[in-house]
Amino acid sequence: MSSNQTAAAATPTKVAIGIDLGSWNARLASYDEALQHPVMIANHDGHRTTRVLIDKTDVITEKTLESFVQDNLMQLAASSAHTKNLNVILSVPSDKDETTLQEEGFMQILQKFGAVITDAAATCLAYEDRFEMKDGQKILVLDGGARGIKATLLECMGNASGSDKNELPVLSCIGPSQRLPEVNGNALIDILGQSVAQQFEQKNRFPRGEVWESKKAKAKLRRDCESGLKTLVINNTATIHVDGLYEGVDCQVSISKPKWDHLSSKLATQAKKFLKELPEADVVLLAGNMHPWLKPHAKTIFQNKLIASSSFDPSEAVALGCAKQAFLNMMADADTDGGDSNNNNNKAPTMKVSVSPVSIGIKAIIKKKAGDDDGESKSTDEELTMIRKGMPLPALVTHDFAGTVSMDLWQLLPQEKQLATFAELEESTTLKLHLS
């Protein structure tokens, strides 16, 4: 469902917030109702990225994650929205799979602050106005970040009822995500940083390797080289300027694009090989900090299947998609709650149950009326898959049933459990699933 279609549905009482909790940088976005699209939130320093605070072992722990989200991201979101009444959607950290998230308690921590969707699903939402999602369409999401390149293939299952154009499509993940950890944002920054450090050492006659070994100088270089990588995509030359880089000496080193292509050629070869071995897809989307470097390689391999993002920065796609999903959830909740007190008596009954926010499959065990040879009425059991196993984009899905006596809803993943039981149903029943 597009943002334009939902804008007039109801007026939300909360502010929709999306949080991209990356392994290195976190980003926040809010949904602007006046503009009818999400916008990025800048932190107190004016930056649209906030460095994820981790412990000295460079590992995100349950304690540091909760503290960082609560003390930094939630306060920043409340300050930007001018209210603490927030509807928050968070993305799953890209370097954690679902089993790890559940076992280490990360999922429970994230759910304290809001609902959780996958970064691939959020990316698709950010790009939704750039292409039309069709039933059976395969979408490949390439996310290049600090932990490497991750490729996730999703299939658009369309609307379950096939009739309501306002219903969100369901995206099912086809198999596990494929990763190339060797080619990551940190590796690219280090390659550029070491080259700049060597030229700086030669120019100022410092011992070879001394500057890069300095933790303070290395941190300064890496910060400027991160923005220098984006410049090299647009221009033929990038100038890395760092005030007082080492022993009070300023650094100003220029790197040409041909030289950079030579420096990163080994990683480029690995990336191209990885991309060529990925499964076929109808649409390819880019996300993550590495998108400027990854885009020309993806364009060469996937050609016109690669969707351009002229209206937003692909590195911000996950945060924008999360904010859009938060707003859609609020609209769906407002529609479910009615809004017209005169029609409350006619409102369909609503039941809320907890399901897995990442991997899920839903089936219905239906008991139907059937007549036998003696003319007596009996019931027969029938299983119906309502949501296939995989990773669905939170959605509104409608199913119509006829001649049904009772029905049980079951979740299939990550473990099988009964969600709800509906008894003594009418001859014609409509069930609407709101996955959020």
Side-chain angles (χ1 to χ4, degrees):
M1 180 164 55
S2 69
S3 304
N4 291 336
Q5 291 171 317
T6 59
T11 302
T13 58
K14 296 183 177 182
V15 176
I17 299 293
I19 298 179
D20 172 14
L21 190 60
S23 55
W24 193 254
N25 286 316
R27 292 177 171 85
L28 282 80
S30 64
Y31 194 90
D32 191 314
E33 296 176 60
L35 298 176
Q36 295 189 353
H37 66 72
V39 294
M40 296 300 296
I41 296 175
N43 60 23
H44 301 301
D45 296 325
H47 302 301
R48 286 155 73 150
T49 59
T50 301
R51 191 73 76 188
V52 175
L53 301 180
I54 52 182
D55 59 20
K56 295 180 181 179
T57 60
D58 198 37
V59 176
I60 299 176
T61 64
E62 185 176 336
K63 183 179 179 180
T64 56
L65 177 64
E66 182 173 8
S67 175
F68 173 71
V69 175
Q70 179 62 54
D71 299 339
N72 293 271
L73 303 185
M74 295 302 293
Q75 287 192 16
L76 178 59
S79 175
S80 173
H82 304 291
T83 178
K84 292 185 178 180
N85 193 15
L86 307 174
N87 189 304
V88 180
I89 295 285
L90 303 95
S91 68
V92 177
S94 59
D95 59 335
K96 299 285 184 181
D97 58 27
E98 182 190 354
T99 303
T100 305
L101 284 165
Q102 296 284 3
E103 291 178 352
E104 297 183 0
F106 285 97
M107 191 65 75
Q108 291 82 349
I109 295 298
L110 296 177
Q111 288 177 316
K112 289 182 179 180
F113 304 103
V116 179
I117 63 174
T118 64
D119 48 9
T123 301
C124 290
L125 263 179
Y127 279 89
E128 71 157 347
D129 59 344
R130 304 295 300 168
F131 72 101
E132 181 183 359
M133 294 188 191
K134 302 177 181 178
D135 191 16
Q137 189 178 49
K138 289 182 173 58
I139 304 171
L140 180 64
V141 178
L142 299 176
D143 190 343
R147 303 288 183 178
I149 302 174
K150 182 175 69 172
T152 306
L153 184 64
L154 304 105
E155 180 181 358
C156 182
M157 298 166 57
N159 300 323
S161 64
S163 59
D164 190 350
K165 293 182 179 180
N166 289 336
E167 290 182 357
L168 289 167
V170 174
L171 294 173
S172 177
C173 183
I174 305 176
S177 299
Q178 299 184 46
R179 299 173 184 267
L180 182 63
E182 296 82 7
V183 182
N184 57 70
N186 288 332
L188 291 171
I189 293 172
D190 286 347
I191 289 174
L192 182 59
Q194 289 179 21
S195 176
V196 172
Q198 288 176 8
Q199 293 186 52
F200 175 76
E201 289 165 349
Q202 292 173 2
K203 181 179 179 180
N204 296 281
R205 299 184 179 180
F206 287 114
R208 184 178 178 86
E210 186 174 282
V211 174
W212 190 249
E213 290 175 0
S214 169
K215 292 183 178 179
K216 191 173 182 180
K218 183 177 180 178
K220 289 182 178 180
L221 266 179
R222 295 187 89 260
R223 185 169 55 248
D224 284 78
C225 287
E226 188 172 353
S227 58
L229 288 176
K230 297 181 180 180
T231 304
L232 283 169
V233 176
I234 304 171
N235 303 322
N236 290 325
T237 304
T239 300
I240 309 300
H241 180 83
V242 184
D243 292 331
L245 174 62
Y246 189 69
E247 294 187 359
V249 180
D250 296 341
C251 171
Q252 185 162 337
V253 174
S254 296
I255 298 288
S256 66
K257 194 173 188 311
K259 183 172 183 177
W260 167 242
D261 291 340
H262 172 71
L263 291 172
S264 61
S265 60
K266 185 177 179 180
L267 293 182
T269 301
Q270 290 179 274
K272 290 177 182 178
K273 181 181 179 183
F274 174 75
L275 296 177
K276 288 179 181 178
E277 294 174 352
L278 293 176
E280 289 288 332
D282 302 306
V283 174
V284 180
L285 309 177
L286 286 180
N289 278 337
M290 287 177 58
H291 77 88
W293 182 83
L294 192 59
K295 183 177 179 179
H297 305 310
K299 184 69 176 177
T300 300
I301 295 170
F302 300 109
Q303 299 179 1
N304 58 352
K305 294 181 180 180
L306 184 66
I307 302 297
S309 57
S310 57
S311 58
F312 64 90
D313 184 344
S315 63
E316 300 171 346
V318 176
L320 295 172
C322 286
K324 188 176 291 187
Q325 183 61 61
F327 181 75
L328 293 177
N329 282 0
M330 293 195 314
M331 293 299 96
D333 289 341
D335 289 341
T336 302
D337 293 340
D340 187 352
S341 58
N342 296 327
N343 294 331
N344 283 343
N345 294 331
N346 299 324
K347 191 175 68 173
T350 302
M351 178 183 294
K352 292 186 177 181
V353 294
S354 297
V355 297
S356 168
V358 178
S359 291
I360 193 173
I362 295 180
K363 71 176 180 180
I365 300 179
I366 306 165
K367 294 184 182 294
K368 286 190 173 184
K369 292 181 180 179
D372 58 12
D373 295 337
D374 298 330
E376 296 182 358
S377 178
K378 293 184 177 181
S379 63
T380 59
D381 291 353
E382 176 184 334
E383 283 195 11
L384 174 65
T385 299
M386 302 182 71
I387 299 294
R388 290 192 329 211
K389 294 180 180 180
M391 297 183 183
L393 182 68
L396 287 172
V397 181
T398 301
H399 286 269
D400 295 321
F401 301 94
T404 304
V405 177
S406 64
M407 175 170 50
D408 294 330
L409 281 184
W410 287 77
Q411 172 183 293
L412 304 179
L413 290 176
Q415 66 273 336
E416 189 168 307
K417 69 174 182 179
Q418 187 171 357
L419 300 176
T421 298
F422 302 94
E424 299 181 0
L425 297 176
E426 298 179 358
E427 287 291 330
S428 179
T429 302
T430 298
L431 176 67
K432 178 173 285 190
L433 298 179
H434 175 209
L435 307 178
S436 64

